[in-house]
Amino acid sequence: MTAAPMLPERQEWTVDDLGELPRDLPYELINGRLIVPSPTHLHQDLCVRVLLALEANCPPEYVVSIDLSMRVNRRNEPRPDVVALRPDHVARSPVPVEDAILAVEVISPDSTFRDMYDKARVYAHAGVPTYWVIDPLHERMTLTEMVLGPAGEYEPAVHTDDVFTTERPWKVTVDLPALTARWAGLRGRGEA
């Protein structure tokens, strides 16, 4: 058995401080706050389903990945649940945010505000053209698509709990009712 790592205490973190963390520790840095996520299987399963939907028509000049650190600025290094990007720096970690064309976050019980607002601002100010937030925490799963407006802020484009089809960043279809049914079935088994 190994001991949990002791993290240095800080009020505000920067990307320079991240070098002090264990290399195998998953973390995000959002507005100077260190976040060490611990996703469930349900969360990760949903991320894989979204990745597969994106990969179905992914043009060869792009790649889709899960849980990839992106360098934004000295106070922000998020790890979107799913990201579509240009493959110019696929061997680097973190990847420059300029490579991203879509960031996707799946809300967890403790991440609603962070995913809907904090990360939306971070991604928008970094110039990521499209942002999706998937909320599986209600009876019907929803997807909100936001697109970068002329003022450099996200503008809501779609909010749905139905089959979602878009052309951003390419033709993608996400069957939210099917994902809701899968999520409910898996959750039901996990609670048995």
Side-chain angles (χ1 to χ4, degrees):
M1 180 175 183
T2 60
M6 294 296 295
L7 300 178
E9 289 194 32
R10 289 194 171 61
Q11 293 290 344
E12 169 104 358
W13 287 76
T14 68
V15 293
D16 296 330
D17 299 325
L18 300 178
E20 297 176 34
L21 298 177
R23 302 286 302 154
D24 59 347
L25 180 69
Y27 57 82
E28 292 188 284
L29 185 62
I30 305 297
N31 296 324
R33 276 189 5 246
L34 182 68
I35 299 156
V36 183
S38 182
T40 65
H41 171 76
L42 283 169
H43 181 276
Q44 297 304 83
D45 181 78
L46 182 52
C47 293
V48 168
R49 304 291 154 201
V50 172
L51 174 126
L52 293 172
L54 281 161
E55 281 192 332
N57 294 316
C58 182
E61 63 269 20
Y62 297 102
V63 294
V64 183
S65 188
I66 290 180
D67 194 36
L68 189 65
S69 291
M70 292 193 312
R71 178 68 50 95
V72 175
N73 57 36
R74 70 181 292 279
R75 296 182 70 233
N76 290 286
E77 190 174 297
R79 289 175 89 100
D81 291 319
V82 182
V83 64
L85 49 104
R86 291 174 208 83
D88 301 341
H89 302 101
V90 293
R92 269 178 65 182
S93 182
V95 171
V97 72
E98 295 80 17
D99 290 358
I101 59 171
L102 167 69
V104 181
E105 294 291 352
V106 174
I107 290 177
S108 297
D110 63 345
S111 75
T112 301
F113 186 85
R114 185 172 56 242
D115 289 345
M116 285 299 296
Y117 302 102
D118 288 345
K119 287 185 180 180
R121 282 189 207 104
V122 168
Y123 294 138
H125 292 162
V128 178
T130 309
Y131 180 49
W132 297 353
V133 179
I134 299 172
D135 186 348
L137 303 180
H138 302 285
E139 186 176 329
R140 294 178 60 103
M141 189 176 299
T142 63
L143 186 150
T144 303
E145 179 187 40
M146 298 178 228
V147 295
L148 203 54
E153 300 290 334
Y154 284 129
E155 299 172 356
V158 174
H159 177 80
T160 187
D161 62 3
D162 206 349
V163 174
F164 168 72
T165 300
T166 186
E167 296 291 330
R168 292 180 287 259
W170 48 79
K171 181 141 179 121
V172 181
T173 298
V174 179
D175 187 340
L176 293 165
L179 290 176
T180 298
R182 178 177 175 80
W183 178 275
L186 289 172
R187 188 176 59 226
R189 279 194 235 150
E191 294 171 355

